Amino acid sequence: PLMQTTHPATKAFISISNIYGQDLTTPVQLLIMAPSQKAMASREWSLATCHMLQDLATKVTDRMHEEGHDYTMTTADFNGLMIFRGGCLADGLKFGVIDVMPAVHMYGMYDMVADLLSNRNQTATQVYVHCQVDLFSEVGEAWMRAVRASLPRPEVIRQPLGGHQDADSANYVPYGRWDDVEIGALHLYGMPLEQMDGAQYTLRRMPYVGLAIAAIVCIILGGSFGTALIPVRAVICIAWMLVVTFGASVMVYQLGYLEGLGIQALSPSSGQALFWISPSVAVAVLVGLGLDYDIFLMDSVMEHWQSGKDGKSAVVTSLDQAGTIISAAGVIMFLAFGALLASTTPVLNQIGFMLCVGVLLDCFVTTKVTIPTLMALVPDNANFWPLEQKTSMRERAFGGQTVFVQRPPPSFRRSLSWSH
């Protein structure tokens, strides 16, 4: 989603992935950190590690079946210094009845591969883990979670800096042991895992972000307008706008409702899913714009209500005065965000679509229909509580004469129009 669909580099990346598979472009690897250089060089360590990986394939298969996925992981999906094509290299590398492992050692081919897969101190090595489906699909993500969850989970493991760590702790590091042989710490890594973890970490905290936004909106609007219901109504309207916007995005970029139009910017990208960054970026912009348009309207409503009009009349008058300005501002923002739909980068298309839909909803539905309807359903004394509709007068001297000047309500215009 972050690559331009028409760029030569993207086409080359897709071609390489189609020819050589995702193991070359987006590999998943298992880093094994042996207890020592001597242990890693031993035949016992190689056999124990191979047997652990063979058992891991069985556990991943069982977990995938438990989750309802028809996926079978084989021992041939692991390739490293200790395992190749499902067999343990410590027992030899046989093609038919011929063991070619002695020749591999004789001609230095094993040492050459060891230099590529191991660190300089020969205390850690990496194993390539093959996935039979697209890693960015639903089944692919389930497979990555299954592999990670199936790694050895001893009750207590020893840490390099001393002390112990529970297997259920947030910083838990899997540690392998097989047949009383210490295998070492295990780390599953790769770009697909980074994307999955980033998405889960961000989306898992979105409810807290939403609560923080709601609290900030209530504090700012409540303190500015001096009412209790206006901030609550603003939060409800913004939440409604976000729900509709993200729902429309799912319909377009996951379900492909507009794919028949033949417009690339309105068609699902590879993976048939929204990129997790898109709603994370759009939500902040949409909340800010939604508050702007809400404040424009409600500031005028408060002013007319304090001047003596009832709530319905104040809303109608405010729409007559500020409605055109809000609509014009919305059209300008729609055109600005619409430029993102002309991009060939899927993630920019998704963000642009969300912003365009959100702006149109906020300018032409929320401020014109939703807010007036909600205010009409609630009595004035509740809409503007705890304020009371009264005209407060104060004296001001002009050229030796005393005149009475009407005091305005608490609003965003007060600091610009009145002096204290």
Side-chain angles (χ1 to χ4, degrees):
L2 295 174
M3 302 179 69
Q4 298 181 11
T5 55
T6 58
H7 198 276
T10 305
K11 296 180 179 179
F13 179 85
I14 295 175
S15 298
I16 293 174
S17 298
N18 293 335
I19 296 173
Y20 295 99
Q22 58 189 349
D23 291 339
L24 181 64
T25 54
T26 55
V28 173
Q29 296 165 289
L30 179 64
L31 176 65
I32 305 176
M33 302 178 66
S36 64
Q37 181 182 11
K38 181 180 179 181
M40 183 172 159
S42 66
R43 182 177 184 276
E44 292 77 12
W45 184 89
S46 179
L47 274 176
T49 306
C50 178
H51 293 159
M52 181 201 69
L53 294 176
Q54 291 172 340
D55 181 68
L56 179 62
T58 302
K59 291 181 178 178
V60 171
T61 300
D62 293 340
R63 189 177 291 271
M64 291 291 286
H65 290 169
E66 290 175 1
E67 296 181 2
H69 299 290
D70 185 15
Y71 185 97
T72 301
M73 187 174 186
T74 66
T75 56
D77 291 334
F78 294 103
N79 287 291
L81 291 179
M82 71 295 299
I83 187 172
F84 182 73
R85 299 175 63 183
C88 298
L89 293 181
D91 292 332
L93 179 60
K94 296 183 179 180
F95 288 89
V97 295
I98 302 176
D99 185 4
V100 299
M101 201 63 194
V104 171
H105 282 289
M106 179 184 301
Y107 292 102
M109 289 183 287
Y110 184 86
D111 294 335
M112 180 180 64
V113 175
D115 291 338
L116 294 174
L117 298 181
S118 304
N119 64 338
R120 182 176 299 177
N121 297 328
Q122 299 294 312
T123 57
T125 185
Q126 53 189 351
V127 176
Y128 284 89
V129 188
H130 172 68
C131 180
Q132 303 167 17
V133 297
D134 183 5
L135 285 165
F136 297 97
S137 64
E138 181 181 355
V139 179
E141 290 190 6
W143 175 84
M144 288 188 287
R145 291 193 296 267
V147 174
R148 179 178 286 171
S150 300
L151 292 174
R153 296 180 64 85
E155 295 181 359
V156 178
I157 62 176
R158 188 176 301 279
Q159 296 300 298
L161 299 180
H164 295 83
Q165 184 184 60
D166 294 333
D168 293 331
S169 66
N171 298 320
Y172 166 73
V173 177
Y175 195 89
R177 179 194 298 269
W178 191 269
D179 293 336
D180 295 328
V181 177
E182 297 280 345
I183 295 175
L186 309 173
H187 300 271
L188 189 70
Y189 68 97
M191 191 268 284
L193 284 157
E194 295 172 2
Q195 291 291 332
M196 183 183 71
D197 291 342
Q200 292 179 350
Y201 182 88
T202 301
L203 298 179
R204 195 182 302 126
R205 282 156 178 76
M206 287 304 289
Y208 301 102
V209 173
L211 292 176
I213 290 174
I216 293 173
V217 169
C218 290
I219 292 173
I220 293 178
L221 294 187
S224 301
F225 290 118
T227 66
L229 195 59
I230 287 180
V232 175
R233 193 262 314 138
V235 171
I236 293 175
C237 289
I238 291 176
W240 170 85
M241 179 263 293
L242 293 176
V243 169
V244 175
T245 299
F246 293 150
S249 301
V250 170
M251 293 172 63
V252 172
Y253 294 105
Q254 287 190 197
L255 304 179
Y257 276 35
L258 300 182
E259 192 172 8
L261 298 177
I263 302 176
Q264 182 66 34
L266 299 178
S267 300
S269 60
S270 59
Q272 298 284 318
L274 276 173
F275 193 46
W276 62 273
I277 289 180
S278 301
S280 304
V281 173
V283 65
V285 180
L286 290 176
V287 169
L289 291 175
L291 278 180
D292 281 346
Y293 303 140
D294 196 306
I295 290 172
F296 290 158
L297 178 63
M298 292 311 302
D299 190 58
S300 180
V301 171
M302 289 290 294
E303 186 174 352
H304 289 295
W305 180 75
Q306 281 287 358
S307 67
K309 295 182 179 180
D310 62 274
K312 293 182 180 179
S313 300
V315 171
V316 172
T317 305
S318 298
L319 283 175
D320 184 54
Q321 292 180 349
T324 303
I325 298 176
I326 294 174
S327 299
V331 171
I332 292 174
M333 296 307 298
F334 172 80
L335 295 176
F337 294 142
L340 295 175
L341 294 174
S343 172
T344 56
T345 305
V347 67
L348 294 181
N349 297 151
Q350 295 174 8
I351 294 174
F353 178 83
M354 293 180 188
L355 296 180
C356 288
V357 172
V359 166
L360 292 179
L361 284 174
D362 213 45
C363 289
F364 297 101
V365 179
T366 301
T367 57
K368 305 300 191 299
V369 179
T370 308
I371 293 178
T373 301
L374 291 177
M375 294 191 67
L377 295 175
V378 179
D380 285 358
N381 56 354
N383 273 321
F384 303 100
W385 184 86
L387 295 179
E388 295 182 1
Q389 189 179 36
K390 60 182 180 180
T391 303
S392 59
M393 309 297 288
R394 61 177 178 175
E395 295 182 359
R396 179 177 290 182
F398 288 96
Q401 296 182 355
T402 300
V403 298
F404 290 94
V405 181
Q406 180 177 325
R407 188 173 217 168
S411 67
F412 284 92
R413 298 182 184 178
R414 179 171 183 175
S415 60
L416 302 177
S417 306
W418 296 82
S419 61
H420 301 279

